[in-house]
Amino acid sequence: MAMIECQDVHKWFGDFHVLQGISQSVERGEVLVICGPSGSGKSTFIRCINRLEEFQKGHILLEGKDIHSGDFDVNELRAEIGIVFQQFNLYPHLTVIKNITLAPMKVRGRDKKAAEAQAMELLERVGIVEQASKYPAELSGGQQQRVAIARALAMRPKVMLFDEPTSALDPEMINEVLNVMKDLARDGMTMLCVTHEMGFAREVADKIIFMDDGQIVEQGPPNEFFSNPRHERTKAFLKEIL
Ligand code: ADP
Ligand code: MG
């Protein structure tokens, strides 16, 4: 059974048909990279998977269970499917450790000590344990993004979504975030990553999909995708970003 299965997902914003039948499955432990031009629907697609956006037609299943069924309330679903955004979205008025412990205590019902111990382990894992008592504004962009990853992991999600997690970072900070993502992938996390970091895609993706105008135009394993793109739109896109 796939970890995530999207079946003919359609979404409209008013009259605008933003997702025009997306079907895609991601197996447990797989990394899917999603690329495509700005406005093609990449963010909308991944935001549908944890119900930050609703869609009007089709189904999305998590381990075979429809995300709209009574099996999930939306908070539980978002605990199972973590997301990391381009703009970090940390709580500015909370310290790093509180950013990480808040949801596990509220949603997962963990006690404070256990939540803090886990947060420190996660900060160790993303390499910024010494920043635990700082506020987000005191950290660099790369450090903030690593806190955001730790915060999502604190829920012990089954799946992680990444929406251009390095696009807002200064170049010298991109690798520190990509390295954390690579570690996660190696540890077997199931990941859907919107990114234009094609080096990352080559190294860790099991499959790359190229979206344009709300559709998946092309998909394949990285070696095929890069060496032998079939569609003109993919070729043009790759030419521009590589
Ligand atoms: P991408 O992430 O590939 O750049 P998005 O999923 O953000 O694309 O957006 C796809 C299209 O949907 C764009 O044309 C965008 O303007 C439009 N769109 C995104 N969010 C909304 C919204 N809340 N209301 C109306 N249109 C939207
Ligand atoms: Mg986007």
Side-chain angles (χ1 to χ4, degrees), residues 11-14 16-19 34-47 53 86 163-164 194 196 211 214:
K11 177 176 177 66
W12 287 261
F13 285 119
F16 177 53
H17 197 180
V18 58
L19 298 178
I34 301 157
C35 63
S38 179
S40 55
K42 305 178 301 293
S43 296
T44 305
F45 170 46
I46 66 163
R47 290 164 63 86
E53 298 281 358
Q86 183 175 337
D163 191 359
E164 303 206 36
V194 177
H196 292 159
M211 284 181 67

